[in-house]
Amino acid sequence: MNRMPEPMVSVENLRKSYGDAEVVRGITFQIFRGEFFGLLGPNGAGKTTTIGMLTGLVEPTGGRILIGGHDFFLKPMQSKAKLGFVPQSFALYPTLCARDNLAFFARIYGLRKGRLKERIAAVLDVVGLRDHASQTVATFSHGMKRRLNIAVGLIHEPDILILDEPTVGVDTQSRNAILETLEGLNKSGVTLLYTTHYIEEAERLCNRVGILDQGKMIALDTPATLVRNLGTGIVRIEFNANPDDTLLRQIGHLGSFRVIDDRSRHLRLETDRTDRAVREFLDLMDKRSGMLKTLDIIEPNLETVFIHLTGRTLRD
Amino acid sequence: MLQQIIAITLKELKVVWLDREALLLLFAMPMFFILVMSFALQGVFEAGTKGRPVQVLVINQNGGPLAEQAIADLKRIEELMLIETAGGVSLSLEKAEALIRKGDYSLALAFGTGFSERILQDPRASQGEKATVYLISDPATNIQLLASVKGVIRSTIERRILLATMPQRMKQAFGNPASEIPLGLDPSNQNMGNQFERILEDPHKGAGDSSIVVFVNASPKGFSAGRRPTATEQNVPAYTIFGVFFIVLTLASSFLREKQDGTFQRILAAPLSKTALLIGKLLPYYLVNLIQIGLMFAVGVILFDMKPGYLPAVIVVSMALAAAANGLGLLVAALGKTEAQVNSLSVLFAITLAALGGMMVPAFIMPGFMKTLSLFTPHAWALAGYHDVIIRGLGLKEVLPETGVLLGFASLFFAGALWRFRFD
């Protein structure tokens, strides 16, 4: 008989309001030990507020959070000790060197002497900054700062590492380095909660994802299940001129399409079978030579799941 | 290019305009300085003038008619304002000393018992008994101002004495036989006129005395008497206090930076209370303040031979002062939302409070309402505390009131700061 996995984080009906505006509207989810959990959503979906409540920085209006079995609000210190936090901002002291930054945060978590040195060396290795330990952070590149930011979150060996959009503003090479680091951490047993609006990152890294939109959890499952159940292909079409009503009607009658966005010369169509849908559409366009400017096919993925659920893209 | 310049200018104007508080401070700050410094410096430019007479407490200890006449003469001097009563009762020496100790007045003039009799008696029968005038002043009073006021008082009294003793001297000069004329005045001498003038100037010189009136300079009882503050003793504490409050800018900027960089958030995500964070954050600035005070006093002692007084009392005042400065720093950190706001508020507090508190212009030469206002600054109380120890030679017990007020300021600043402070 399979044992039930142990939940590291349990969030129950979590709410947050600022005045009349409710930014997190009763979300519920669990993160299990060793899991790489992604919290996806466009800007303003409530990701950062949710992270704020999980780390004790934002006081919830209602609901409950359990970290490693501890009720966060009854035992905040024990709960916080189990968490590592990597905020979206660098949250480093630029005039100090990497080692001093790490030593400072290590002491905040109660690490001393030999253990402190040992952990500093370990996390510098994990993020590949050992050779830059004595370098002032102000001289670091964006990517190096992001890596050190992660190292600080790991310094006390937390049970769960919470990362709020840790790859924002970094180049592709540094992004890959960061993602590899996170994959390595997960393989070594660290539980991760990861927020992003980069769909490809979530697809690459996460065992399960929760999709937030306007403060609500609108989907929660493994990426594969979500794509299988909710994912549809998307065809983006751009015309050289505004499509007339006849053309739009004809497109609407193509059984394999669903028009989900219609803006002047742009059309966005949702389909279960992109190959068939594109073929039918191109047949239609044969009679209107020169009308089609571009055609962009997106195979079913988390982005199309989000579009299917909300009618918007994650980066809208 | 012009368009680009205009675009940048417009953008910058918009940014400045959007930070209304900083903009307001930008205008309010110079206005404050103009008001505060103009009122405060009125004392420097107008003290001892008709518009702003120097207040002098007057005690007539049965000094007789001549003392009364001298007082009447002094009353006619528009640059002086004589105060003879307190609460409707004639001033006693003890009461006047208490008022000076309290800091309400800086100078008292007392005519000793038998003042008139001793002046008017025959100098040959005086047997060394001299009329005495006491000038009692706060040792912390500005020495230049005090010297000029004392000069006016002294010359007025001496003129009155000259007039009062004139008949007697005339009698001496003309009415007595030549053999009885003192000073070896020879009536046959061609220079008799000149010698006569000399007698009128100082008739008692011939008797071997320097003067028939003695001006005794003293400090109120309880103050270490006889020593005037040096420039160092005046400036070291004043500019130390001035400098201590510059921690406000450093401290508030540091808090703002931590908020903006997100390091506060990261620290608060750790198992650490906000109280621990605040204490940890404030402690280094508190220590910096104490080191700052120690260094500045060391410069005074080593380079200028300043006597710091009773050290435990200096330390107690310094600790309370640093607490007040740190409290104000946290308050500015709580109120300032942008770098511009923090900078402006810090400079506004540092300079305005210093000017009001008597760091740039001694409070005793400020107009009455400014003196009252100065009591609402921690600076004035800190300076009073340091002056008590360094200049007046007082001890730990005597600086407790100033220390208490400074701690009160610190509590008030911290309470306001904690009420308004946000960590995000």
Side-chain angles (χ1 to χ4, degrees):
Chain A
M1 197 175 114
N2 283 339
R3 280 179 59 195
M4 282 290 285
E6 183 191 349
M8 285 302 302
V9 178
S10 290
V11 173
E12 296 167 18
N13 197 26
L14 195 63
R15 296 176 177 277
K16 179 64 191 176
S17 300
Y18 293 103
D20 292 335
E22 198 174 20
V23 292
V24 175
R25 301 194 276 179
I27 60 171
T28 298
F29 63 94
Q30 286 185 319
I31 303 170
F32 300 100
R33 184 176 287 278
E35 201 174 21
F36 203 132
F37 185 87
L39 203 53
L40 309 186
N43 289 327
K47 298 190 302 286
T48 298
T49 307
T50 303
I51 293 292
M53 290 189 281
L54 282 170
T55 49
L57 299 172
V58 177
E59 201 179 335
T61 313
R64 192 167 176 231
I65 298 171
L66 298 173
I67 306 281
H70 295 300
D71 187 317
F72 198 103
F73 310 111
L74 296 177
K75 293 184 172 176
M77 295 304 165
Q78 286 96 324
S79 302
K80 284 180 175 185
K82 291 176 181 294
L83 297 175
F85 178 45
V86 180
Q88 205 175 116
S89 59
F90 288 126
L92 300 165
Y93 295 98
T95 51
L96 302 182
C97 69
R99 185 184 288 108
D100 288 346
N101 267 282
L102 289 166
F104 167 70
F105 286 105
R107 287 191 187 101
I108 292 287
Y109 280 94
L111 272 62
R112 300 282 180 272
K113 298 176 182 173
R115 176 81 181 127
L116 183 141
K117 282 183 183 168
E118 185 188 303
R119 284 303 300 157
I120 290 173
V123 294
L124 282 171
D125 273 347
V126 168
V127 298
L129 288 174
R130 175 170 253 191
D131 294 342
H132 303 278
S134 304
Q135 197 177 322
T136 308
V137 171
T139 64
F140 274 19
S141 70
H142 217 69
M144 288 164 79
K145 283 179 188 168
R146 284 269 169 232
R147 278 147 63 195
L148 182 61
N149 217 20
I150 293 170
V152 171
L154 288 168
I155 192 72
H156 62 293
E157 269 193 302
D159 288 342
I160 176 161
L161 183 65
I162 299 178
L163 302 109
D164 191 7
E165 309 215 15
T167 56
V168 167
V170 297
D171 58 69
T172 314
Q173 201 180 349
S174 297
R175 180 187 300 248
N176 274 331
I178 290 169
L179 297 185
E180 276 168 21
T181 303
L182 296 178
E183 281 171 327
L185 282 170
N186 187 234
K187 275 181 192 153
S188 70
V190 178
T191 309
L192 292 110
L193 166 57
Y194 186 86
T195 78
T196 185
H197 57 255
Y198 295 119
I199 214 77
E200 62 279 12
E201 287 183 7
E203 284 180 330
R204 173 175 162 182
L205 301 170
C206 300
N207 311 124
R208 272 194 322 138
V209 291
I211 299 179
L212 272 180
D213 186 46
Q214 296 178 359
K216 280 185 176 172
M217 188 73 86
I218 57 170
L220 177 66
D221 217 318
T222 62
T225 310
L226 285 174
V227 172
R228 191 171 58 244
N229 295 343
L230 301 167
T232 51
I234 302 286
V235 179
R236 290 194 192 116
I237 299 160
E238 189 182 357
F239 297 107
N240 281 319
N242 284 346
D244 53 48
D245 289 347
T246 315
L247 177 61
L248 287 175
R249 210 167 32 248
Q250 285 173 328
I251 292 171
H253 285 149
L254 292 175
S256 55
F257 277 138
R258 187 164 71 93
V259 178
I260 55 168
D261 192 14
D262 174 12
R263 280 178 293 184
S264 62
R265 295 179 182 186
H266 293 80
L267 201 63
R268 206 155 49 164
L269 308 169
E270 198 178 48
T271 176
D272 293 330
R273 290 282 309 275
T274 48
D275 51 349
R276 187 181 140 199
V278 169
R279 205 166 45 241
E280 285 179 10
F281 174 71
L282 290 176
D283 288 345
L284 193 65
M285 294 313 293
D286 276 348
K287 294 161 196 165
R288 292 169 184 264
S289 177
M291 181 74 181
L292 184 62
K293 188 177 180 184
T294 61
L295 189 127
D296 189 13
I297 303 163
I298 311 167
E299 291 299 333
N301 63 11
L302 284 175
E303 176 83 38
T304 64
V305 169
F306 187 77
I307 293 168
H308 173 79
L309 291 169
T310 66
R312 292 176 289 119
T313 67
L314 271 168
R315 291 175 205 182
D316 273 351
Chain B
M1 186 173 145
L2 184 65
Q3 277 186 337
Q4 289 167 321
I5 292 170
I6 291 169
I8 294 166
T9 306
L10 288 176
K11 186 271 293 173
E12 209 53 40
L13 277 173
K14 194 171 179 183
V15 169
V16 173
W17 175 246
L18 287 174
D19 194 355
R20 303 275 165 82
E21 289 91 342
L23 199 65
L24 187 73
L25 285 168
L26 212 62
F27 290 100
M29 202 162 52
M31 204 159 71
F32 252 77
F33 290 157
I34 291 169
L35 289 173
V36 171
M37 295 307 280
S38 299
F39 281 127
L41 288 169
Q42 257 183 16
V44 175
F45 293 104
E46 296 172 16
T49 63
K50 287 175 191 173
R52 283 183 42 75
V54 174
Q55 293 180 318
V56 181
L57 300 171
V58 177
I59 308 106
N60 188 355
Q61 299 174 304
N62 196 19
L66 195 51
E68 279 167 21
Q69 284 169 355
I71 291 168
D73 290 343
L74 288 167
K75 277 182 182 171
R76 280 193 285 275
I77 299 170
E78 290 175 318
E79 288 79 11
L80 298 178
M81 180 192 282
L82 300 197
I83 295 156
E84 294 175 271
T85 57
V89 183
S90 291
L91 279 169
S92 64
L93 194 59
E94 290 73 26
K95 175 73 181 169
E97 283 184 330
L99 288 170
I100 292 173
R101 270 197 303 269
K102 208 174 145 194
D104 291 348
Y105 299 93
S106 301
L107 181 63
L109 167 68
F111 290 92
T113 313
F115 175 79
S116 302
E117 290 77 20
R118 284 170 192 169
I119 296 283
L120 295 172
Q121 73 189 350
D122 187 333
R124 287 166 298 188
S126 66
Q127 294 177 341
E129 278 190 312
K130 291 172 185 173
T132 313
V133 174
Y134 298 95
L135 288 165
I136 301 152
S137 58
D138 182 347
T141 306
N142 179 282
I143 198 159
Q144 287 82 8
L145 181 75
L146 202 62
S148 65
V149 173
K150 278 182 179 177
V152 170
I153 292 173
R154 196 176 172 133
S155 63
T156 307
I157 294 171
E158 282 177 344
R159 198 177 305 119
R160 172 50 56 191
I161 292 169
L162 177 65
L163 288 170
T165 54
M166 185 71 83
Q168 185 190 346
R169 283 180 230 170
M170 293 292 275
K171 194 178 164 191
Q172 277 182 354
F174 301 108
N176 292 346
S179 60
E180 291 178 19
I181 295 173
L183 306 171
L185 185 68
D186 182 359
S188 64
N189 193 319
Q190 295 291 316
N191 259 340
M192 189 178 160
N194 291 341
Q195 292 180 53
F196 176 64
E197 274 176 22
R198 261 180 32 230
I199 289 171
L200 289 181
E201 276 171 11
D202 194 350
H204 294 262
K205 268 187 182 165
D209 291 329
S210 61
S211 174
I212 54 164
V213 61
V214 177
F215 287 90
V216 177
N217 291 302
S219 298
K221 284 191 188 81
F223 284 0
S224 66
R227 196 168 65 81
R228 287 272 134 216
T230 63
T232 313
E233 287 167 341
Q234 290 277 14
N235 289 332
V236 168
Y239 284 102
T240 297
I241 298 163
F242 186 51
V244 158
F245 276 86
F246 270 97
I247 204 79
V248 170
L249 177 61
T250 319
L251 191 154
S253 300
S254 163
F255 271 80
L256 185 73
R257 221 170 18 250
E258 296 248 23
K259 282 193 216 178
Q260 288 174 341
D261 290 351
T263 39
F264 262 170
Q265 289 209 329
R266 175 162 239 161
I267 295 169
L268 287 172
L272 177 92
S273 69
K274 288 180 179 174
T275 313
L277 171 58
L278 279 181
I279 293 172
K281 188 81 189 144
L282 286 169
L283 255 180
Y285 295 97
Y286 187 72
L287 291 175
V288 165
N289 264 169
L290 293 181
I291 293 167
Q292 199 184 6
I293 296 168
L295 275 176
M296 291 191 193
F297 271 65
V299 166
V301 171
I302 295 164
L303 296 183
F304 301 104
D305 200 26
M306 186 184 89
K307 305 284 180 290
Y310 186 55
L311 219 52
V314 174
I315 291 169
V316 164
V317 174
S318 302
M319 288 175 80
L321 167 67
N326 276 249
L328 187 60
L330 191 61
L331 183 62
V332 170
L335 297 176
K337 292 177 190 70
T338 64
E339 210 178 319
Q341 284 179 25
V342 162
N343 289 344
S344 303
L345 274 173
S346 303
V347 175
L348 180 74
F349 278 130
I351 301 197
T352 310
L353 290 179
L356 264 180
M359 303 305 101
M360 297 165 181
V361 181
F364 66 85
I365 51 170
M366 289 180 181
F369 79 95
M370 290 289 282
K371 256 189 219 172
T372 311
L373 264 182
S374 76
L375 297 177
F376 292 94
T377 69
H379 298 60
W381 292 91
L383 189 63
Y386 282 138
H387 277 176
D388 274 355
V389 186
I390 300 167
I391 298 168
R392 298 178 187 120
L394 300 178
L396 195 59
K397 198 177 136 197
E398 286 81 7
V399 296
L400 287 182
E402 286 97 339
T403 308
V405 175
L406 283 170
L407 291 176
F409 273 110
S411 308
L412 201 69
F413 293 148
F414 278 120
L418 294 176
W419 175 49
R420 299 289 298 173
F421 195 81
R422 298 284 174 271
F423 283 89
D424 46 14

